[in-house]
Amino acid sequence: MGIVNIKEKSSIPKYKQIVASIEAAIVAGTLKKGDKLPSLNSIKNQHSLSRDTVLTAFNELKTRGIIQSIVGKGYYVNSVDVEVNHKIFLLFDEFNSFKEDLYNSFLFSLGDNIQVDIFFHHFNQDMFAKLINDNAGDYSAYVIMPANLKNTGQVIERLPQDKVYILDQTHADLKQYPSVFQNFKKDIYQGLEVALDKIKSYQKLVLLYPASRQPQGIKDGFQAFCEHHNLTNEIIDSFSNRTITAGELYIVLDDKNLIRIIKHIKEQELLLAKDVGIISYNDTLLKEIVEGGITTISTDFNLMGQRLAEMILNKEFAQVENLNRLIIRKSI
């Protein structure tokens, strides 16, 4: 008897019987990791099946990571963990403390028997395209964080549309995909609006905005807020060769520059909140503690991870704007 067994009168679809046969062979040890499977044509001919039936079974096992295909050679056992029901491709821009909260919440909300493979494109267009191209067809779901990269829709369209989920930033050419996203322009505008009375005690607002890594919406929302309230403002891309001046309020988008500005404030013998203010983007446990607490504008990354997991598990199409809020602490 071969590895694949088909019962003609069974109510179970034949492609499911192929899947179950291969899983049973793996559990029994008949098939081990690295072993080659019978070819599509051999299974098709032996059991008088259509090629599409066999291919459907193999594709299901492939997207769960159980088998892999090698061009010109055939299909091989890739994993003996047959309990895996979903294999998810997760493409982040970079990893940091708040992305870790998002990642952990996502994993916890998915539950058991789901494999998540995480990759990083580091804001590199070529790396973004390569990672998607190299992994197309190997996963049951693709979670993509496009960041501020251009023309991502042209790359992502190579994936099955019903398996793609967009995370954190979304673009005009990605409207056809389900997403959990931040509305950066609205979020920074509304966050600053809540703190308007405190902001007015400073002479100038300074946005530290490295354009290569940050959403355009943050810059747009900042400019709209300053224009609406007629506030003196400046947008800079780094702290290089800058002298901090009393009366400035800095809006800082990443943690490295947050530490740099705190260091500069101390070196210039200025007082945080009295002489110079800071509003940071994306809340972390560290920001609750540093310098008595740093004011933040932040989305709820735990909620983002949870909502994304629900959408994947329920195969739900939704475009969800994630919650965002200002947390006022002692830095302004």
Side-chain angles (χ1 to χ4, degrees):
M1 185 177 293
I3 288 172
V4 173
N5 298 303
I6 300 293
K7 294 181 180 179
E8 292 294 335
K9 295 183 179 180
S10 173
S11 60
I12 300 172
K14 290 178 180 177
Y15 85 92
K16 286 286 188 184
Q17 293 186 53
I18 298 172
V19 170
S21 295
I22 293 172
E23 288 177 338
I26 290 172
V27 171
T30 306
L31 284 175
K32 298 180 174 62
K33 185 171 182 177
D35 285 353
K36 186 176 182 179
L37 295 176
S39 69
L40 290 172
N41 286 334
S42 67
I43 296 174
K44 164 184 168 292
N45 294 334
Q46 182 181 354
H47 299 283
S48 301
L49 302 171
S50 72
R51 194 173 189 279
D52 285 346
T53 297
V54 185
L55 187 59
T56 299
F58 276 31
N59 282 340
E60 179 177 313
L61 290 165
K62 186 179 176 183
T63 58
R64 289 167 52 201
I66 307 302
I67 67 174
Q68 64 176 337
S69 60
I70 299 177
V71 177
K73 293 186 176 181
Y75 290 84
Y76 293 79
V77 177
N78 184 53
S79 170
V80 295
D81 188 2
V82 298
E83 297 300 318
V84 172
N85 294 322
H86 285 286
K87 186 183 176 190
I88 298 174
F89 173 90
L90 178 60
L91 181 55
F92 273 12
D93 46 21
E94 62 181 356
F95 206 62
N96 45 41
S97 54
F98 47 89
K99 298 278 177 58
E100 184 176 5
D101 290 341
L102 166 59
Y103 176 70
N104 288 334
S105 172
F106 180 56
L107 288 186
F108 178 80
S109 301
L110 286 171
D112 298 329
N113 302 330
I114 295 180
Q115 176 183 330
V116 177
D117 294 341
I118 186 168
F119 303 85
F120 304 94
H121 59 71
H122 300 291
F123 304 93
N124 183 294
Q125 194 93 33
D126 293 337
M127 180 61 70
F128 180 87
K130 184 178 189 305
L131 287 170
I132 289 178
N133 290 335
D134 288 352
N135 291 281
D138 292 342
Y139 291 85
S140 54
Y142 295 83
V143 177
I144 311 293
M145 189 177 282
N148 58 358
L149 297 176
K150 305 301 182 186
N151 303 316
T152 52
Q154 294 177 13
V155 179
I156 294 172
E157 69 182 5
R158 299 166 193 172
L159 302 173
Q161 183 173 331
D162 62 343
K163 294 183 179 180
V164 173
Y165 300 82
I166 303 301
L167 183 62
D168 198 38
Q169 291 190 56
T170 188
H171 304 158
D173 60 345
L174 301 175
K175 296 288 188 183
Q176 68 270 39
Y177 301 110
S179 58
V180 185
F181 65 95
Q182 297 187 62
N183 186 332
F184 291 96
K185 181 177 180 179
K186 185 182 83 171
D187 291 343
I188 191 169
Y189 188 101
Q190 292 185 344
L192 294 175
E193 195 75 33
V194 171
L196 181 60
D197 288 344
K198 292 182 178 292
I199 288 171
K200 284 183 175 179
S201 66
Y202 295 90
Q203 280 75 58
K204 179 194 276 190
L205 273 69
V206 182
L207 174 66
L208 179 59
Y209 181 78
S212 63
R213 289 175 174 256
Q214 298 298 341
Q216 177 69 30
I218 289 179
K219 180 180 178 181
D220 293 343
F222 172 80
Q223 290 176 319
F225 173 79
C226 292
E227 182 178 345
H228 180 75
H229 293 287
N230 196 28
L231 298 171
T232 302
N233 67 90
E234 184 180 1
I235 299 174
I236 60 175
D237 60 8
S238 77
F239 277 123
S240 298
N241 303 317
R242 185 180 182 85
T243 300
I244 295 173
T245 303
E248 292 178 331
L249 170 60
Y250 283 85
I251 300 171
V252 188
L253 306 180
D254 65 282
D255 292 354
K256 285 185 179 179
N257 279 314
L258 173 62
I259 300 302
R260 288 189 183 108
I261 190 173
I262 291 173
K263 181 181 178 183
H264 288 329
I265 289 170
K266 290 179 180 295
E267 288 173 347
Q268 293 176 220
E269 298 183 349
L270 298 170
L271 295 177
L272 183 61
K274 181 179 179 182
D275 298 319
V276 179
I278 296 177
I279 297 176
S280 179
Y281 223 86
N282 298 318
D283 200 40
T284 64
L285 183 60
L286 180 68
K287 293 172 189 177
E288 294 182 29
I289 301 167
V290 169
E291 298 297 311
I294 303 295
T295 297
T296 61
I297 297 173
S298 184
T299 198
D300 187 333
F301 287 101
N302 288 309
L303 180 61
M304 182 178 279
Q306 177 186 335
R307 189 68 183 88
L308 176 65
E310 290 172 354
M311 288 168 61
I312 292 174
L313 292 174
N314 298 328
K315 295 183 178 179
E316 174 189 359
F317 183 96
Q319 293 172 333
V320 180
E321 184 177 317
N322 208 53
L323 294 175
N324 190 289
R325 65 185 178 124
L326 175 79
I327 304 170
I328 295 181
R329 299 193 180 105
K330 294 182 179 179
S331 64
I332 60 173

